[in-house]
Structures are given as structure tokens and as C-alpha cells.
Amino acid sequence: MIERENALLLSKWIDSAEVISAVCHARPDGDAAGCVVAAALYASLCRGKDALIILPDAAPASIQFIFDQAPLRVIDARSNPLEAGERLRRTDLLFCLDFNTLSRTEGLEEALRSCPGRKVLVDHHQAPALEEFDLCFSSTGVSSACELLYNLLLQMPDIDSDASRLPLPAATALMCGMTTDTNNFANSVFPGTLRMASELLAAGVDRGDLIDKLYFSERPNRIAAQGEMLSSKMSLLSCGVAVTVLDKSFYERHALLDGETEGFVNIPLTIKDIKLSILAREEDGRLRVSLRSKRGVSARELAVQSFHGGGHEQASGGKILIPDDIASPSLAQAYIEDVAARFMRENYAIEK
Ligand code: 5GP
Ligand code: MN
């Protein structure tokens, strides 16, 4: 999965770099946060480099603890674009983590393109834009970017396949990203994923504490919002698709913070005959769409075809543009239902 030669080349590049930065995709999730923290910590604590994290925009409060447990500086490029730009101009080596093309960093894309440093990709999405990077570590045969980065770090000469040599906050961050991207071991689990979990546990990661922070620290209004979504926002189509549209008033009514509906899209898939769950959230001038599917149905295909997006076979995302796709947000529900029913009919011969 990771060629030794390329791992050693990266190690040489780390040696010769002075300033190292780690970036991930916009709206960071647990996997993105986990790998920027682990990469920057490794560069700083194990290799003595000036290393920090640049986020395209702020991480949601629910995963802030991953950053808080690490002695690292984090630049939020949306609120500090000048500082991010200045740092990128001085960066010798740039870790590009959990995205397959620079455009997934949205507002940070141009600044990344003009970064003079070497760009190293570590990612688990299909079809990486190889020409945008100087060195690519890319595989879809892993749970998460954190798992791939873990395998890469094990190949660094100072770590030499011994996870206990990783700084504990880096090991914890990697466990965290793997845990969230597998939905706590419910999907995308490979033999190597469990090996990683086992080795990180042995290395001292407190998984109980992690699970407590990730899954038992909810705000009550998030649970109340889930209640309203399930009782009156989710519609179940007879072709096995669940469609949910959350408008701005939903977010206001429950005083939800950015990222607080993360994971909602997974819930309808727990219903027996639902094979695909589509959740759209209203934003200014568009809706952001999340898709999740059971094996045998490609969420990615529908994201590419109908929602200007992409992602993984079973977890993908995209958007509905106003006015390009629909005239107003109130038409989103009917639009998605129509697109989804056609998709199931044409690809899986499932009629309404
Ligand atoms: P989420 O539903 O959690 O926002 O996104 C799930 C997955 O879909 C992400 O991990 C990412 O791979 C992919 N994804 C989300 N939004 C987009 C998008 O706008 N474009 C592309 N190409 N992929 C996306
Ligand atoms: Mn990921």
C-alpha cells in the first residue's frame, strides 16, 4: 500500500524542510482533524521542525478536543487569511490530508497552489489529482486518511513500525479519525484498520475517553433536533431512499452550531429497507447535500451525477445550486425525491 521508497523519500524531504504545514479539506471532520494533528505533531515533536496546522475554516466544537490535546498552533484561514497566506509562502513541505484535489479546500485553494513548498498527499478518496502534488500516498483500501497516515508514519525511520514511538496525542488523534470515519467500526473496516486500533491501544491511547468525547458528550438540543428530523423532516420513498431537507429555520429553532447535524444522515440507513439516505442543509444560495448508502448502492455515483460532488462509494457529498438547479430552497425536497427515484430506477431497476 505504501512503497518503502516513497516513504523514505518523504523522510528525506522532512529532514531538509524547516517549515512544515498540514492542511485538510474545508469543514474539517474527525478524520481531517485527526490527520492534520498527527502529521504536524510528528513533524514538530519527532523531527524538531517548525510545524503547524492551517484549516480552511474552523472545526466544529464537537471535535475541538482533538486540537486541544496537542501542543500545536492552528491557523483558521477563514478568519486569518493573511496569516495563512504568509505561512504558506514560507512553507517548505506541505502535508495535504484527507482530500484528493486542492479545490476541496475551497477558499484556501489559490494560496495552496502558490505555496512554493513540496506538496505531499495522504488521502483515501478515489481519483486523486496526481498532478497537483509532488508525492502521493493514496489508497481507497483503508478506513480513513488517518489509517493511511498511520501506516506511513510507521515507515519513518525513527518510528520503525513501533506505534509507541508516536507522541501520544498524535496516536490519539489517529485513533479518533479512524473511529469517526468508520462510524465507530460500522463501515469501511479493513483488516489493517483493526490492526491499527490494536496497536494504538497497546501504545496507550485511552479509547474509553475518546468514545466518551465523541459519542457521549452531546448537547441536549442536538438530540431534540434529531427528534424533529425523524418525526417530521425525513421522508421515506418506496424505492428505498430516505430524503431529509433541513432549512434555516430548523437550525434556528434548535440553536444548532456549525457541524452539529453531522451524522444525522446516517440515522435513516438504520431502517431495514432504506438503501440510500440523502440529507440536504440550506445555506446561503445553495443546499449542501450529504449522501450515505448501504453496500450495493453507490452514493458517490449519485453525488457525481446530480449534486456536483463526489466522495466514497458509501459516503459522499455535494450541493444543489440556486438558481442553477432549483429556483428556491422550498423546491429542494421534490427535486431530490425526483432525482433519487430516477437514480434507483435507472441503476438498480427499483421502481417506486
Ligand atoms: P459529508 O456528507 O460528511 O459532508 O461528506 C461525506 C464525504 O463526501 C466526504 O468525506 C467527502 O469525501 C465527500 N464530499 C462531501 N462534499 C463533497 C463535495 O462537495 N465534493 C466532493 N467531490 N466530495 C464531497
Ligand atoms: Mn476521511
Side-chain angles (χ1 to χ4, degrees), residues 129-170:
L130 301 174
E131 70 285 359
E132 294 179 349
F133 306 96
D134 298 288
L135 185 58
C136 291
F137 299 93
S138 169
S139 169
T140 55
V142 287
S143 62
S144 51
C146 277
E147 184 178 334
L148 196 58
L149 179 61
Y150 172 71
N151 289 323
L152 179 57
L153 292 179
L154 286 186
Q155 292 211 30
M156 293 296 108
D158 55 330
I159 304 299
D160 194 19
S161 301
D162 182 350
S164 71
R165 296 195 181 124
L166 290 169
L168 191 56

Side-chain angles (χ1 to χ4, degrees), residues 25 29 31-32 98 123-125 143-146 181 312:
H25 57 77
D29 56 6
D31 190 26
D98 198 26
D123 180 52
H124 66 130
H125 295 89
S143 62
S144 51
C146 277
D181 253 27
H312 312 282

